[in-house]
Amino acid sequence: MIKVRVSSISETEQLGEIIGKVLEKGDIVCLTGDLGAGKTTMTKSIAKAIGVDDYVTSPSYTIINVYEGNLPFYHFDVYRINDVEELYEIGYEEYFFGDGVCVIEWAGMIEEIIPDDRIWVEITHGTENDERIITIDGKMDRWTDVLKDFEIIG
Ligand code: ADP
Ligand code: MG
């Protein structure tokens, strides 16, 4: 686990781009954190790094939006689901175990179906308005070299 402090939206975006750049086919990025933490902000930057040109918006009502980048990009937002069954109904396995990368906002709500080999990112508010504490867990070998410009706090 690695913990980073960012102090602005643009730093969250930079971190998102770094995460996006190291993603590979089959990767699943789980985003957790309160409403307004910055999950969608980070998702947009991950998408940009993957080469998605389309405008990325949260699929709150549809659960998933599919984009084409250098890899297929699957953006989940499970905030509004009532039951994990709804993920089976949309055929989530096709995306989780498919040819692209998945980013899942509110992943904690469907933790039971998420494979162990995922990247778990938690965003919490810091003490200042635009400050965020971002914890990354999983695929730890990917982060050793790429986070040099960030303030690592744990
Ligand atoms: P979520 O998807 O977690 O609900 P959003 O990304 O939609 O959150 O919104 C985050 C909000 O917080 C935006 O209004 C953004 O401008 C603001 N914000 C302020 N500082 C940051 C930061 N460091 N990182 C991300 N968002 C920030
Ligand atoms: Mg969101």
Side-chain angles (χ1 to χ4, degrees):
M1 207 170 87
I2 190 159
K3 200 185 260 192
V4 173
R5 190 203 321 272
V6 299
S7 52
S8 64
I9 301 172
S10 71
E11 279 184 38
T12 300
E13 290 170 342
Q14 279 172 43
L15 184 55
E17 287 195 41
I18 283 169
I19 293 172
K21 273 187 203 140
V22 302
L23 292 183
E24 298 167 7
K25 171 184 163 180
D27 282 343
I28 299 175
V29 180
C30 301
L31 298 180
T32 63
D34 293 342
L35 210 60
K39 300 180 294 298
T40 303
T41 302
M42 178 170 279
T43 303
K44 287 171 193 268
S45 299
I46 294 172
K48 184 180 168 197
I50 288 169
V52 174
D53 291 328
D54 287 355
Y55 185 72
V56 172
T57 50
S58 246
S60 301
Y61 291 96
T62 53
I63 303 180
I64 180 170
N65 282 340
V66 176
Y67 301 93
E68 264 319 306
N70 304 323
L71 293 167
F73 183 73
Y74 307 125
H75 180 195
F76 292 75
D77 184 332
V78 298
Y79 184 62
R80 288 196 166 77
I81 67 160
N82 296 306
D83 196 282
V84 101
E85 270 300 311
E86 292 176 43
L87 270 293
Y88 287 92
E89 283 160 22
I90 63 158
Y92 80 94
E93 296 107 319
E94 183 192 330
Y95 307 107
F96 277 25
F97 308 107
D99 288 336
V101 301
C102 295
V103 171
I104 309 166
E105 295 192 48
W106 298 99
M109 296 177 65
I110 59 162
E111 204 168 350
E112 64 200 85
I113 62 165
I114 292 177
D116 291 338
D117 192 22
R118 82 293 181 252
I119 296 163
W120 196 271
V121 179
E122 183 182 34
I123 310 176
T124 58
H125 287 260
T127 47
E128 304 296 326
N129 247 352
D130 289 358
E131 185 183 317
R132 299 289 188 274
I133 308 301
I134 302 178
T135 309
I136 305 175
D137 183 42
K139 314 260 185 200
M140 294 313 294
D141 50 313
R142 308 243 188 118
W143 318 116
T144 42
D145 291 333
V146 295
L147 298 179
K148 289 192 189 87
D149 293 338
F150 289 87
E151 185 188 350
I152 310 293
I153 56 169

